[in-house]
Amino acid sequence: DRYLRSVADFRNLQERTKRDVQSARDFAIQKFATDLLESIDNLDRALTTVPASKLAPQSSDPDTPADENTYNKDLANLYDGLKMTETILMGTLKKHGLERFDPSEGEGQLFNPNLHEATFQTKVEGKEDGQVFMTQQKGFTLNGRVLRAAKVGVVKNS
């Protein structure tokens, strides 16, 4: 009986050690990932500040100065480069378990305190109470664990 208990204890120890090693491997980059979030946010802000009208090709109006067309082309090229950099960066981070989520992208997503941090509530016509209608800051998960909750605005009509 003592022998069987010792074998069972040893197997439990092996399983616990295996789980601990896997957990340490999965979350080893947590501090590094947390430090990267601010840089990712700044890159995202840079991409959202450029209005779509500045990225579209200008009409070939002879009254439009040539400098404006060149400027818009350069801005569009810069924007495309930043967008490609963001795509590659997010793909690389996803390979290592870090994923970004935006609650306002989903249709009628309800507030979830495990994923979202409500920064304000307001009335919004056509939406029900508790729905997320605006994202101030996107959230991130690392291997399924919330690294940073998304900061959101929530509907409160009542």
Side-chain angles (χ1 to χ4, degrees), residues 2-141:
R2 284 182 12 167
Y3 172 75
L4 291 177
R5 285 184 186 273
S6 294
V7 169
D9 283 344
F10 180 70
R11 287 186 180 151
N12 287 339
L13 178 64
Q14 282 180 320
E15 287 299 315
R16 191 173 336 122
T17 303
K18 189 187 296 184
R19 278 193 312 265
D20 290 347
V21 167
Q22 185 61 40
S23 178
R25 198 175 286 139
D26 286 345
F27 300 106
I29 66 165
Q30 185 169 353
K31 182 163 176 31
F32 175 70
T34 303
D35 291 342
L36 265 180
L37 296 184
E38 191 173 331
S39 298
I40 295 168
D41 288 340
N42 285 336
L43 182 59
D44 192 40
R45 278 187 215 105
L47 289 169
T48 57
T49 58
V50 180
S53 62
K54 296 284 186 184
L55 299 174
Q58 297 290 324
S59 65
S60 57
D61 184 12
D63 296 333
T64 304
D67 290 347
E68 274 188 41
N69 288 335
T70 305
Y71 175 76
N72 286 332
K73 182 181 176 198
D74 291 343
L75 181 63
N77 289 339
L78 177 64
Y79 178 86
D80 290 342
L82 286 173
K83 191 70 176 162
M84 286 187 274
T85 301
E86 181 197 37
T87 302
I88 291 169
L89 177 63
M90 295 311 296
T92 302
L93 294 175
K94 188 173 186 171
K95 279 195 302 191
H96 294 281
L98 184 68
E99 295 188 57
R100 178 171 54 186
F101 65 93
D102 185 356
S104 63
E105 285 179 357
E107 187 63 34
Q109 189 171 358
L110 293 177
F111 176 74
N112 178 349
N114 297 321
L115 297 174
H116 309 136
E117 178 183 335
T119 54
F120 66 95
Q121 294 180 326
T122 190
K123 291 183 179 185
V124 177
E125 296 299 320
K127 297 206 181 240
E128 63 183 63
D129 283 1
Q131 274 188 324
V132 173
F133 74 95
M134 180 192 162
T135 303
Q136 288 181 314
Q137 192 174 46
K138 295 175 183 172
F140 286 86
T141 58

